[in-house]
Tab-separated table of all heavy atoms in Angstrom:
chain	number	residue	atom	x	y	z
W	752	ALA	N	5.014	16.987	21.004
W	752	ALA	CA	5.473	16.487	22.300
W	752	ALA	C	6.475	15.363	22.063
W	752	ALA	O	6.358	14.611	21.091
W	752	ALA	CB	4.310	15.997	23.158
W	753	LEU	N	7.442	15.240	22.996
W	753	LEU	CA	8.536	14.294	22.837
W	753	LEU	C	8.934	13.730	24.198
W	753	LEU	O	9.021	14.466	25.187
W	753	LEU	CB	9.751	14.990	22.201
W	753	LEU	CG	11.055	14.204	22.106
W	753	LEU	CD1	10.938	13.090	21.063
W	753	LEU	CD2	12.221	15.141	21.752
W	754	ALA	N	9.159	12.434	24.225
W	754	ALA	CA	9.787	11.783	25.375
W	754	ALA	C	10.937	10.940	24.852
W	754	ALA	O	10.883	10.435	23.722
W	754	ALA	CB	8.787	10.923	26.138
W	755	VAL	N	11.981	10.797	25.650
W	755	VAL	CA	13.153	10.046	25.208
W	755	VAL	C	13.589	9.071	26.290
W	755	VAL	O	13.282	9.224	27.476
W	755	VAL	CB	14.333	10.979	24.841
W	755	VAL	CG1	13.959	11.891	23.687
W	755	VAL	CG2	14.802	11.779	26.049
W	756	LYS	N	14.344	8.074	25.837
W	756	LYS	CA	14.950	7.087	26.721
W	756	LYS	C	16.443	7.060	26.396
W	756	LYS	O	16.824	7.057	25.219
W	756	LYS	CB	14.313	5.722	26.478
W	756	LYS	CG	14.829	4.596	27.331
W	756	LYS	CD	14.079	3.295	27.032
W	756	LYS	CE	12.679	3.318	27.625
W	756	LYS	NZ	12.024	1.990	27.551
W	757	TYR	N	17.282	7.051	27.416
W	757	TYR	CA	18.728	7.079	27.208
W	757	TYR	C	19.320	5.679	27.321
W	757	TYR	O	18.775	4.791	27.990
W	757	TYR	CB	19.401	8.014	28.212
W	757	TYR	CG	18.948	9.448	28.079
W	757	TYR	CD1	18.099	10.018	29.021
W	757	TYR	CD2	19.357	10.229	27.004
W	757	TYR	CE1	17.668	11.332	28.913
W	757	TYR	CE2	18.936	11.549	26.873
W	757	TYR	CZ	18.083	12.093	27.828
W	757	TYR	OH	17.657	13.386	27.702
W	758	GLY	N	20.471	5.489	26.660
W	758	GLY	CA	21.122	4.193	26.607
W	758	GLY	C	21.724	3.757	27.932
W	758	GLY	O	21.855	4.544	28.887
W	759	ASP	N	22.134	2.479	27.961
W	759	ASP	CA	22.633	1.879	29.204
W	759	ASP	C	23.858	2.602	29.742
W	759	ASP	O	24.097	2.613	30.951
W	759	ASP	CB	22.980	0.411	28.958
W	759	ASP	CG	21.750	-0.436	28.684
W	759	ASP	OD1	20.624	0.085	28.851
W	759	ASP	OD2	21.914	-1.612	28.316
W	760	GLY	N	24.640	3.209	28.849
W	760	GLY	CA	25.862	3.859	29.286
W	760	GLY	C	25.697	5.296	29.720
W	760	GLY	O	26.690	5.996	29.965
W	761	ALA	N	24.481	5.765	29.805
W	761	ALA	CA	24.242	7.161	30.182
W	761	ALA	C	24.741	7.446	31.588
W	761	ALA	O	24.696	6.590	32.479
W	761	ALA	CB	22.755	7.483	30.080
W	762	ALA	N	25.214	8.663	31.802
W	762	ALA	CA	25.667	9.082	33.119
W	762	ALA	C	24.504	9.062	34.104
W	762	ALA	O	23.344	9.220	33.709
W	762	ALA	CB	26.270	10.485	33.030
W	763	PRO	N	24.799	8.870	35.396
W	763	PRO	CA	23.716	8.801	36.395
W	763	PRO	C	22.788	10.004	36.359
W	763	PRO	O	21.574	9.859	36.523
W	763	PRO	CB	24.473	8.707	37.717
W	763	PRO	CG	25.778	8.083	37.358
W	763	PRO	CD	26.120	8.613	35.999
W	764	GLU	N	23.345	11.197	36.145
W	764	GLU	CA	22.481	12.376	36.142
W	764	GLU	C	21.526	12.365	34.945
W	764	GLU	O	20.424	12.905	35.017
W	764	GLU	CB	23.317	13.658	36.149
W	764	GLU	CG	24.285	13.796	34.996
W	764	GLU	CD	25.658	13.211	35.296
W	764	GLU	OE1	25.756	12.352	36.215
W	764	GLU	OE2	26.623	13.615	34.632
W	765	ARG	N	21.945	11.753	33.841
W	765	ARG	CA	21.044	11.646	32.684
W	765	ARG	C	19.986	10.580	32.924
W	765	ARG	O	18.812	10.771	32.621
W	765	ARG	CB	21.848	11.336	31.423
W	765	ARG	CG	21.027	11.427	30.149
W	765	ARG	CD	21.885	11.285	28.894
W	765	ARG	NE	22.792	12.421	28.736
W	765	ARG	CZ	23.669	12.529	27.739
W	765	ARG	NH1	23.773	11.561	26.833
W	765	ARG	NH2	24.445	13.590	27.652
W	766	LYS	N	20.405	9.467	33.507
W	766	LYS	CA	19.428	8.412	33.824
W	766	LYS	C	18.404	8.897	34.841
W	766	LYS	O	17.250	8.465	34.833
W	766	LYS	CB	20.149	7.180	34.353
W	766	LYS	CG	20.867	6.387	33.274
W	766	LYS	CD	21.420	5.073	33.839
W	766	LYS	CE	22.042	4.221	32.742
W	766	LYS	NZ	22.554	2.932	33.264
W	767	ALA	N	18.831	9.810	35.695
W	767	ALA	CA	17.916	10.324	36.724
W	767	ALA	C	16.761	11.115	36.119
W	767	ALA	O	15.747	11.338	36.785
W	767	ALA	CB	18.690	11.191	37.711
W	768	LEU	N	16.932	11.534	34.872
W	768	LEU	CA	15.864	12.276	34.204
W	768	LEU	C	14.714	11.372	33.771
W	768	LEU	O	13.612	11.844	33.500
W	768	LEU	CB	16.423	13.004	32.972
W	768	LEU	CG	17.518	14.043	33.229
W	768	LEU	CD1	18.099	14.533	31.901
W	768	LEU	CD2	16.963	15.211	34.023
W	769	MET	N	14.981	10.062	33.711
W	769	MET	CA	13.980	9.128	33.185
W	769	MET	C	13.052	8.677	34.315
W	769	MET	O	13.127	7.555	34.808
W	769	MET	CB	14.662	7.940	32.509
W	769	MET	CG	15.540	8.348	31.332
W	769	MET	SD	16.154	6.955	30.337
W	769	MET	CE	17.173	6.068	31.512
W	770	THR	N	12.163	9.556	34.696
W	770	THR	CA	11.310	9.323	35.864
W	770	THR	C	9.944	8.749	35.522
W	770	THR	O	9.185	8.394	36.414
W	770	THR	CB	11.104	10.647	36.620
W	770	THR	OG1	10.503	11.601	35.728
W	770	THR	CG2	12.434	11.186	37.124
W	771	LEU	N	9.630	8.668	34.238
W	771	LEU	CA	8.295	8.214	33.819
W	771	LEU	C	8.400	6.812	33.223
W	771	LEU	O	8.449	6.617	32.015
W	771	LEU	CB	7.682	9.192	32.814
W	771	LEU	CG	7.460	10.612	33.344
W	771	LEU	CD1	7.029	11.535	32.215
W	771	LEU	CD2	6.442	10.612	34.465
W	772	GLU	N	8.509	5.832	34.141
W	772	GLU	CA	8.646	4.425	33.746
W	772	GLU	C	9.756	4.249	32.719
W	772	GLU	O	9.598	3.584	31.695
W	772	GLU	CB	7.314	3.866	33.246
W	772	GLU	CG	6.240	3.872	34.308
W	772	GLU	CD	5.029	3.020	33.952
W	772	GLU	OE1	5.132	2.196	33.022
W	772	GLU	OE2	3.986	3.195	34.618
W	773	GLY	N	10.894	4.861	33.007
W	773	GLY	CA	12.061	4.699	32.170
W	773	GLY	C	12.188	5.700	31.046
W	773	GLY	O	13.082	5.565	30.197
W	774	TRP	N	11.344	6.724	31.040
W	774	TRP	CA	11.379	7.738	29.997
W	774	TRP	C	11.522	9.127	30.624
W	774	TRP	O	11.096	9.363	31.757
W	774	TRP	CB	10.090	7.717	29.167
W	774	TRP	CG	9.897	6.489	28.338
W	774	TRP	CD1	9.396	5.287	28.766
W	774	TRP	CD2	10.186	6.335	26.957
W	774	TRP	NE1	9.350	4.389	27.729
W	774	TRP	CE2	9.829	5.010	26.598
W	774	TRP	CE3	10.707	7.175	25.974
W	774	TRP	CZ2	9.982	4.512	25.314
W	774	TRP	CZ3	10.851	6.685	24.678
W	774	TRP	CH2	10.506	5.376	24.359
W	775	GLN	N	12.074	10.057	29.838
W	775	GLN	CA	12.078	11.468	30.203
W	775	GLN	C	11.148	12.214	29.265
W	775	GLN	O	11.303	12.154	28.042
W	775	GLN	CB	13.481	12.083	30.080
W	775	GLN	CG	13.493	13.578	30.390
W	775	GLN	CD	14.696	14.316	29.826
W	775	GLN	OE1	15.511	13.728	29.126
W	775	GLN	NE2	14.792	15.606	30.114
W	776	PHE	N	10.185	12.923	29.830
W	776	PHE	CA	9.353	13.817	29.028
W	776	PHE	C	10.136	15.113	28.820
W	776	PHE	O	10.534	15.767	29.780
W	776	PHE	CB	8.027	14.106	29.720
W	776	PHE	CG	7.126	15.029	28.930
W	776	PHE	CD1	6.431	14.562	27.819
W	776	PHE	CD2	6.992	16.365	29.291
W	776	PHE	CE1	5.617	15.401	27.093
W	776	PHE	CE2	6.179	17.215	28.568
W	776	PHE	CZ	5.476	16.725	27.459
W	777	VAL	N	10.374	15.469	27.558
W	777	VAL	CA	11.159	16.654	27.224
W	777	VAL	C	10.206	17.819	26.984
W	777	VAL	O	9.478	17.829	25.981
W	777	VAL	CB	12.033	16.420	25.980
W	777	VAL	CG1	12.889	17.651	25.686
W	777	VAL	CG2	12.910	15.187	26.166
W	778	GLU	N	10.180	18.746	27.881
W	778	GLU	CA	9.284	19.883	27.698
W	778	GLU	C	9.779	20.729	26.526
W	778	GLU	O	10.964	21.074	26.447
W	778	GLU	CB	9.201	20.712	28.978
W	778	GLU	CG	8.552	19.939	30.114
W	778	GLU	CD	8.130	20.831	31.264
W	778	GLU	OE1	8.582	22.001	31.309
W	778	GLU	OE2	7.335	20.381	32.106
Side-chain angles (χ1 to χ4, degrees):
L753 173 71
V755 298
K756 181 178 286 190
Y757 298 107
D759 292 351
E764 58 270 21
R765 189 173 293 179
K766 285 187 175 181
L768 299 172
M769 299 189 297
T770 59
L771 298 172
E772 298 194 15
W774 293 82
Q775 177 200 4
F776 180 76
V777 182
E778 294 195 345

